[in-house]
Amino acid sequence: MQQLISPLGEPVVDPASLESLAAVYAYPDQVNRGRPWLRANMVAGLDGGARLGGLSEGLSGDADKRIFGVLRALSDVVLVGAETVRAEGYRPARARAEFAAARAAAGQAPAPAIAIVSRSLTLDLTAPLLTAPLVRTVVITTADAPEERRRAVAEVADLVLAGEGAVDLRAGVSALAERGWTRLLSEGGPRLLGQLAAAGLLDELCLSLAPLITGGDAPRIIRDAEMPDVQRMRLVSLIEQKGFLFTRYMRPPTP
C-alpha cells in the first residue's frame, strides 16, 4: 500500500512525484508576507528512537530521503545543531534542477543556506560546509562565545550573535527572517529541536516513522526540553510507503 493524503483529506494522484510532494509540503502563505514559519523534519523508529547506530541515517529509506530533499528544496535556510553537523558529516545544500524555476520565481537562492547553532564554536573550519557552500553558511552563537573562535568562524561564515550564556533561538530566528529567510527548516538534532519547541518556535513537525524497533538508548526526537506546557499539534497530511509513515503536523491556528 502507498497512499498520500492531502490537507483536505483527498488522495494525491502520484505520491512518488516531486511536484506532488512539493504541493503537499508547501509553506503557508504567511512566508510571502515576511512572517517566518519554522518546520522540523525528523525520523524515528517505532519505539521512539531517533538514531540507529548513532546516526539518523540508519532509520531512513528511499521515500524518506525523497521527502528530505523536497523539504530542503522548499526552504530558505536549514537550521541545525553543531552536534548534528559533526555526527552526520553535514555538507552544503545542493541546487536541485527540478526546483530551480520555482526557487527563482519565489526570489530564493539556488539552494538553501545552512545555519549552524553552536555555543562553543567547536567546528571544523576546513569542512566543505564552511569552505564551499553555494550560499554562505551562517553560524548562530552567543555574544560571550570565545573571541578567538568568533574571529576564526567569521572568516568563513556569517556570524550571528544571539544571547549570552546560551543561544537565544528567538533572536537567532528573527535574525534569519530579517535576511528574508522566512521558510525555515530544522533538521535537529533532538537537543536543538527540544530548545525550539520549548521556546514556542516550532510551527510544524514532519515526522518520518520507520517500521523498525531498535531498542538501545537512542534519544527521542526531542531531548532535554523543559516545555512550559504541552504543545498540541494537528495532523494535516500522511504518506505511507513500504511500511514507513510520513506525517505532517501543524500548530493549531491561534483563535
Side-chain angles (χ1 to χ4, degrees), residues 32-46:
N32 299 314
R33 301 193 298 272
R35 294 171 53 201
W37 180 271
L38 193 151
R39 67 165 42 132
N41 182 32
M42 299 291 283
V43 62
L46 294 177

Side-chain angles (χ1 to χ4, degrees), residues 55-208:
L55 300 173
S56 61
E57 170 72 19
L59 297 167
S60 188
D62 290 343
D64 181 54
K65 290 174 182 176
R66 186 183 309 120
I67 291 173
F68 176 95
V70 168
L71 294 181
R72 276 201 168 192
L74 295 175
S75 69
D76 296 321
V77 59
V78 177
L79 194 63
V80 63
E83 182 179 351
T84 297
V85 167
R86 292 188 290 267
E88 304 276 354
Y90 258 62
R91 299 184 63 83
R94 62 187 180 90
R96 300 279 300 274
E98 304 92 335
F99 293 92
R103 290 186 67 87
Q108 295 175 288
I114 304 291
I116 307 169
V117 178
S118 176
R119 183 179 61 82
S120 68
L121 296 180
T122 306
L123 303 168
D124 179 1
L125 303 186
T126 67
L129 180 57
L130 291 165
T131 61
L134 281 174
V135 181
R136 188 172 168 91
T137 296
V138 174
V139 177
I140 304 173
T141 191
T142 61
D144 57 348
E147 184 176 353
E148 184 176 345
R149 289 183 184 175
R150 276 191 286 144
R151 287 200 302 268
V153 170
E155 292 288 331
V156 294
D158 289 350
L159 203 60
V160 172
L161 303 183
E164 292 189 7
V167 175
D168 181 340
L169 289 172
R170 283 186 172 277
V173 166
S174 293
L176 298 178
E178 286 172 4
R179 294 170 176 241
W181 294 344
T182 53
R183 302 168 182 86
L184 294 99
L185 170 65
S186 173
E187 294 175 351
R191 186 171 285 109
L192 175 61
L193 181 54
Q195 293 168 348
L196 291 168
L201 293 168
L202 184 63
D203 296 303
E204 177 181 333
L205 175 62
C206 299
L207 175 61
S208 301

Side-chain angles (χ1 to χ4, degrees), residues 230-234 250-252:
V230 171
Q231 181 172 330
R232 300 193 180 278
M233 307 289 280
R234 60 188 178 96
M250 285 186 185
R251 185 201 303 266

